Amino acid sequence: MSFIRNAWYMAAWATDLGAQCLPRRLLGEPVVLFRRADGKPVALFDRCPHRFAPLSKGTVHGDAVECLYHGLRFDGSGACVLNPHGDGRIPPGAQVRSFPVVERDGIVWIWMGEAAHADAGAIPDFSFLTATDCRALTGTNTVAAHYELVVDNLLDLSHINFLHANYQRNDDLLKADHE
């Protein structure tokens, strides 16, 4: 499956991200999100390079996530910063991919493409979500369907008067010109 990679995607609501590992599958790839000790969000490829265990099954220690399999720790850049075995030497291949992340307007955004092209200025403005005169209701909704079906549903407003009639019926929608 092909995805647009050089774009910002919503990875999580900021309130869902804490000091624990938060696994996500974004653009077909496993990603683990967590917060460093200073609160900054981090996103790493969710697979330890040693035995390919999911890092999201591990634990966060300060600014690093510890793999549950052998205890290797990886910081926000994806570098291995601790090998608890033997002399503690860190193998040169002990590195996982890190993804650029930005927290803005109550959303944690991730860039899944080439990091050099990540421009935080291209993140859409969702400041209305954090406006003091509004209250945003957040959450996630897992759908066991291909994402294109979800997009099709959200863009096809002709079903609103029928499926959501008890709280959203508006007959003007049926008579409106659509482009």
Side-chain angles (χ1 to χ4, degrees), residues 24-47:
R24 288 284 195 253
R25 181 162 287 276
L26 302 162
L27 281 59
E29 292 188 34
V31 174
V32 60
L33 297 137
F34 64 94
R35 287 191 187 279
R36 296 185 332 197
D38 65 4
K40 184 175 176 8
V42 171
L44 300 175
F45 187 70
D46 191 12
R47 192 165 299 136

Side-chain angles (χ1 to χ4, degrees), residues 30-111:
V31 174
V32 60
L33 297 137
F34 64 94
R35 287 191 187 279
R36 296 185 332 197
D38 65 4
K40 184 175 176 8
V42 171
L44 300 175
F45 187 70
D46 191 12
R47 192 165 299 136
C48 180
H50 178 238
R51 293 285 187 220
F52 309 120
L55 291 173
S56 60
K57 299 284 186 186
T59 53
V60 176
H61 295 270
D63 292 344
V65 62
E66 180 179 278
C67 178
L68 80 141
Y69 198 87
H70 279 124
L72 297 175
R73 288 189 188 172
F74 299 89
D75 70 7
S77 74
C80 182
V81 294
L82 175 73
N83 175 4
H85 301 279
D87 64 3
R89 187 181 66 79
I90 296 173
Q95 174 83 23
V96 295
R97 181 177 179 200
S98 67
F99 300 92
V101 289
V102 172
E103 184 173 344
R104 184 178 297 159
D105 301 326
I107 298 171
V108 177
W109 297 93
I110 188 168
W111 183 270

Side-chain angles (χ1 to χ4, degrees), residues 8-20:
W8 289 101
Y9 289 89
M10 180 181 178
W13 292 108
T15 54
D16 291 342
L17 188 58
Q20 307 80 27

